[in-house]
Amino acid sequence: MLIKFLKFILVILLYQAPLYSKNKTINNFNSSHLSSYFSGIVAYENKNNAEALKFFNSSKPLIKRHNSYLEKYVYSLVLEGKVQQATTEVKKNLTENNSNFFEAYLILALDSLKSEDYKKSKEYLKESYKYINNNKIALIIAETLKQYLYVFDENKIPVTKEKFGNFSFINEVFQRCYLNDKNTKTYFENLINNKDNIRVQHNDYPRYIFFYINHLMENNKYHEAKEITSDLEYLNSSLLISQGKKWIEDERLEEFQKVFSCRNANDIIGEFFYLVANVYSSEEDYENSNFYLNIAHFLNPKFKFNLSLLAENYYTNKNYTKTLKVLKNFKEKDEFYYWFKIKKEAQIISKQKSQEASMDFINSKFKKIKNPSIKIIFDIANFNKNFKKYKVAIDHYDKILSKIDINSDLYAKILYRRGTSYERLGDYKNSDIDLLKSLKINSDDADVLNYLAYSWLERKYKIDTALQMLERAYTKRSNDAYIIDSIGWAYYLVEDYIKAENFLKRAVELMPKDPIVNDHYGDILWKLNRKIQARYFWESVLNLENTEVEMKKNISNKLINGPKNS
């Protein structure tokens, strides 16, 4: 009944729309078209684009009768990777009012840019300004494209231009690279070295090392490129940087130009839209992120590595079917992106089947890799550790430690990983050895200080020393909920209940759904004779999703008998 009513409302709205001319009567409506259109809107609003597109395609006769139809249809097409079809649909309806939206003219401008018709592209871009409607990102896109079109058409950097912080600096680097400007190297070096001022979303500034290397390779400066990659550590590098480093080491130098050239207008505009997509993804606006990722792929389909963000977006939204489809783009010849594919597939298996099936899958795939890089060994170690396969994880950490500098921060980090694995196995002797060694290398590492101190607290071992370590950790990260919980628990064990309550209350505020934190807070409230409140927090632990079975048993006992030694 509700659906029929909504269909009726849609008919009225369509009938009363300004576009509706006198010779188009209500009899022209086909109920199946209207039903499909309504279903398409519902699917669109529910972010089910594949279904939305199917319904929009079956209700196309309505395209000129409802202003928002074309906009939703175009958006759905782009989200499904059908950018060329979206362009065609906009061109068909360009004389109609239903094409009056920013993305319509943006797509047309990019289509003309792809054909190197810069004059036409400028005309479409100029028209797009009418529909920006205070959208800051849209303004940045329009102004940036305007600058790039000037560069492509005039072969020089514009003198006057809008400033958009990091966007503007990054774009100028690529504009100079496109022109093969003599200062390109300096601009790239400023971009990749100025970590404080040039900060890209997701802390992705190292990404531009890849494009700097690409620029050097394009100018036959192999030795300079090799010098840069030799200083890079796989464990501290992104997927893209790791893949570029591997190409240099394997002397697969031709691979760089196969995926990107900053002398190609489409490639650098594609990279700009990847940056836009990255910004949207960091703000958890995954639909707009996917929209611009597909635009980026339309402009430079060679650079399939950018699709890793699309896969991440789909995975985050639990769209595992589309995640798996995107992952098919990553082939075995590109080791690091192939490994990214395997990891993501393993995560999906864990969600859809079981952790055991996931572990079997990823470990079997790992065994087939000949001479895996240290980065991949590190990943498989962490994967096993996360799934509580601590002995397997320790074996992998052993291999990594045998290959790196024993005085490096990296060595300290691996010791921390291995030490925490020993601790989870109850091997406190080896755990303490690793964690103390890690602190000898980096005495101020808050994570190591917190973990070792909390381990000692749990064992009622060196409580005063543990408290001192936690106070040091707290000075480093005073807003870290785990450290706040640990130091609160330390004060509980030394019977300073007032201080303990202050810290644990704050920990609960920061992590209201953490079982251990809530349990600790209940214990301190009981000690302060606030027993009704204590029971409230213990009962809440029983209802939390991540509460382990053993903890539930202990909580149930507390609710009956109170805490031990109370």
Side-chain angles (χ1 to χ4, degrees):
M1 186 68 188
L2 177 60
I3 291 176
K4 288 183 179 179
F5 174 73
L6 289 170
K7 286 180 185 177
F8 174 75
I9 294 298
L10 275 173
V11 170
I12 298 299
L13 289 172
L14 287 165
Y15 182 74
Q16 293 181 346
L19 285 176
Y20 204 84
S21 60
K22 293 180 180 178
N23 65 338
K24 294 177 182 176
T25 68
I26 196 73
N27 295 326
N28 293 122
F29 281 105
N30 181 303
S31 61
S32 66
H33 293 158
L34 192 60
S35 176
S36 294
Y37 179 43
F38 171 69
S39 299
I41 290 173
V42 172
Y44 180 87
E45 295 300 329
N46 288 332
K47 303 188 185 305
N48 188 343
N49 288 294
E51 281 296 299
L53 191 55
K54 182 179 74 174
F55 287 121
F56 286 145
N57 279 328
S58 62
S59 59
K60 282 180 72 174
L62 300 178
I63 197 166
K64 295 181 180 179
R65 299 185 179 187
H66 197 250
N67 285 359
S68 66
Y69 180 101
L70 182 64
E71 185 174 0
K72 288 183 171 63
Y73 184 41
V74 164
Y75 224 83
S76 293
L77 284 168
V78 174
L79 287 170
E80 291 301 306
K82 300 178 180 181
V83 182
Q84 194 59 63
Q85 187 180 341
T87 306
T88 301
E89 292 297 335
V90 173
K91 284 180 178 178
K92 285 180 185 176
N93 292 274
L94 198 55
T95 58
E96 305 288 339
N97 288 336
N98 61 355
S99 62
N100 292 344
F101 55 98
F102 175 75
E103 291 79 8
Y105 287 94
L106 173 63
I107 289 169
L108 293 176
L110 294 175
D111 183 62
S112 296
L113 184 150
K114 237 190 150 183
S115 304
E116 299 184 15
D117 187 348
Y118 302 136
K119 181 181 178 182
K120 194 69 176 173
S121 185
K122 288 177 184 177
E123 290 174 4
Y124 286 133
L125 189 62
K126 184 178 179 181
E127 194 69 17
S128 76
Y129 277 84
K130 296 178 183 178
Y131 312 108
I132 287 176
N133 298 327
N134 298 317
N135 183 327
K136 186 177 180 180
I137 297 292
L139 177 62
I140 291 172
I141 290 170
E143 283 293 325
T144 301
L145 282 180
K146 182 179 175 182
Q147 292 172 24
Y148 272 116
L149 285 167
Y150 179 89
V151 173
F152 301 152
D153 207 19
E154 302 293 334
N155 285 309
K156 59 183 179 181
I157 303 290
V159 178
T160 58
K161 50 195 171 185
E162 293 288 334
K163 294 290 185 181
F164 298 110
N166 296 345
F167 274 103
S168 296
F169 189 84
I170 292 166
N171 289 325
E172 183 163 356
V173 173
F174 280 106
Q175 289 164 13
R176 291 183 181 276
C177 190
Y178 174 80
L179 297 171
N180 205 21
D181 179 86
K182 63 180 181 179
N183 295 317
T184 301
K185 180 179 177 181
T186 302
Y187 271 78
F188 262 121
E189 288 174 349
N190 287 340
L191 174 61
I192 63 180
N193 292 324
N194 197 341
K195 300 176 184 180
D196 295 324
N197 297 326
I198 304 301
R199 181 68 65 177
V200 183
Q201 299 294 331
H202 287 174
N203 296 328
D204 205 19
Y205 70 88
R207 173 181 179 83
Y208 297 98
I209 296 173
F210 176 87
F211 296 106
Y212 181 31
I213 295 168
N214 185 285
H215 166 68
L216 293 173
M217 296 300 300
E218 198 162 18
N219 287 278
N220 300 312
K221 295 181 179 179
Y222 166 70
H223 293 292
E224 287 185 48
K226 189 171 183 179
E227 190 175 329
I228 292 170
T229 58
S230 64
D231 290 334
L232 299 172
E233 293 281 355
Y234 278 119
L235 287 184
N236 293 328
S237 298
S238 66
L239 278 175
L240 187 60
I241 299 302
S242 297
Q243 193 59 65
K245 177 178 170 69
K246 190 75 168 71
W247 284 345
I248 294 284
E249 289 177 353
D250 293 349
E251 297 187 350
R252 292 170 59 197
L253 311 181
E254 71 285 352
E255 298 296 333
F256 286 96
Q257 303 312 309
K258 284 182 181 179
V259 298
F260 183 88
S261 169
C262 64
R263 295 180 191 172
N264 182 315
N266 294 327
D267 288 2
I268 58 175
I269 297 298
E271 174 57 23
F272 166 68
F273 280 107
Y274 173 85
L275 178 57
V276 172
N278 210 354
V279 170
Y280 274 120
S281 182
S282 72
E283 295 174 350
E284 299 183 5
D285 185 346
Y286 299 112
E287 186 171 274
N288 274 319
S289 179
N290 292 348
F291 180 89
Y292 286 107
L293 279 169
N294 280 305
I295 293 288
H297 188 63
F298 167 71
L299 291 163
N300 183 9
K302 309 182 300 294
F303 205 3
K304 294 185 183 296
F305 300 152
N306 281 348
L307 295 175
S308 59
L309 180 56
L310 188 62
E312 289 283 11
N313 287 349
Y314 282 139
Y315 178 80
T316 300
N317 284 281
K318 301 180 181 179
N319 191 334
Y320 302 134
T321 301
K322 283 194 173 181
T323 305
L324 292 169
K325 183 178 179 182
V326 173
L327 291 174
K328 290 179 181 178
N329 286 282
F330 305 126
K331 307 302 180 185
E332 197 168 350
K333 67 183 181 68
D334 297 315
E335 178 181 337
F336 292 96
Y337 282 90
Y338 179 69
W339 179 244
F340 166 80
K341 169 188 174 181
I342 290 171
K343 285 196 299 178
K344 199 57 63 181
E345 287 174 341
Q347 289 173 321
I348 292 171
I349 291 170
S350 174
K351 299 286 186 184
Q352 295 183 329
K353 294 182 181 178
S354 67
Q355 288 188 1
E356 204 63 39
S358 176
M359 286 306 310
D360 288 345
F361 171 81
I362 196 168
N363 282 323
S364 66
K365 291 289 185 181
F366 173 77
K367 289 174 183 176
K368 294 177 182 177
I369 299 174
K370 295 179 181 178
N371 300 317
S373 77
I374 195 171
K375 188 181 185 76
I376 292 176
I377 298 173
F378 183 65
D379 281 344
I380 195 68
N382 292 338
F383 208 98
N384 277 278
K385 183 175 185 288
N386 292 340
F387 283 105
K388 302 182 180 180
K389 304 291 183 181
Y390 299 115
K391 289 182 180 179
V392 178
I394 288 168
D395 288 342
H396 290 305
Y397 290 134
D398 288 344
K399 292 173 187 174
I400 298 170
L401 288 168
S402 69
K403 296 182 179 184
I404 57 179
D405 180 3
I406 62 172
N407 296 311
S408 65
D409 286 342
L410 200 54
Y411 196 87
K413 289 178 182 178
I414 306 303
L415 282 172
Y416 167 62
R417 295 267 179 178
R418 189 175 71 176
T420 54
S421 298
Y422 278 128
E423 192 274 340
R424 299 308 295 165
L425 288 171
D427 186 348
Y428 301 120
K429 180 181 177 181
N430 279 316
S431 175
D432 287 359
I433 289 171
D434 273 358
L435 296 176
L436 288 168
K437 274 186 183 177
S438 179
L439 286 173
K440 279 187 178 180
I441 299 169
N442 185 357
S443 60
D444 292 327
D445 190 309
D447 288 322
V448 183
L449 287 166
N450 179 53
Y451 199 99
L452 179 58
Y454 188 80
S455 175
W456 285 355
L457 293 176
E458 289 285 280
R459 289 180 263 157
K460 306 289 192 297
Y461 175 69
K462 293 187 177 182
I463 291 175
D464 290 337
T465 305
L467 180 55
Q468 291 170 13
M469 291 164 65
L470 288 168
E471 286 172 342
R472 282 168 56 199
Y474 183 70
T475 61
K476 296 293 177 183
R477 292 218 302 265
S478 59
N479 289 318
D480 187 305
Y482 292 103
I483 293 173
I484 293 168
D485 172 66
S486 296
I487 198 168
W489 193 241
Y491 280 120
Y492 172 87
L493 292 175
V494 298
E495 300 184 3
D496 189 339
Y497 302 131
I498 301 299
K499 274 190 177 180
E501 198 270 341
N502 288 334
F503 280 103
L504 288 167
K505 180 180 179 182
R506 189 162 164 234
V508 169
E509 289 170 352
L510 291 170
M511 291 196 302
K513 294 184 179 180
D514 185 275
I516 294 173
V517 172
N518 280 276
D519 182 29
H520 285 170
Y521 193 47
D523 285 358
I524 190 63
L525 290 171
W526 185 274
K527 287 290 186 182
L528 292 171
N529 206 30
R530 291 155 61 182
K531 296 184 177 180
I532 293 175
Q533 288 174 279
R535 290 180 186 280
Y536 169 81
F537 281 94
W538 289 332
E539 285 172 355
S540 73
V541 174
L542 296 177
N543 296 319
L544 292 173
E545 185 179 347
N546 298 323
T547 306
E548 295 183 355
V549 174
E550 190 62 32
M551 179 176 277
K552 286 185 177 182
K553 288 180 182 178
N554 292 335
I555 296 289
S556 297
N557 287 333
K558 285 183 189 181
L559 287 167
I560 297 170
N561 305 312
K564 292 178 181 178
N565 304 320
S566 62

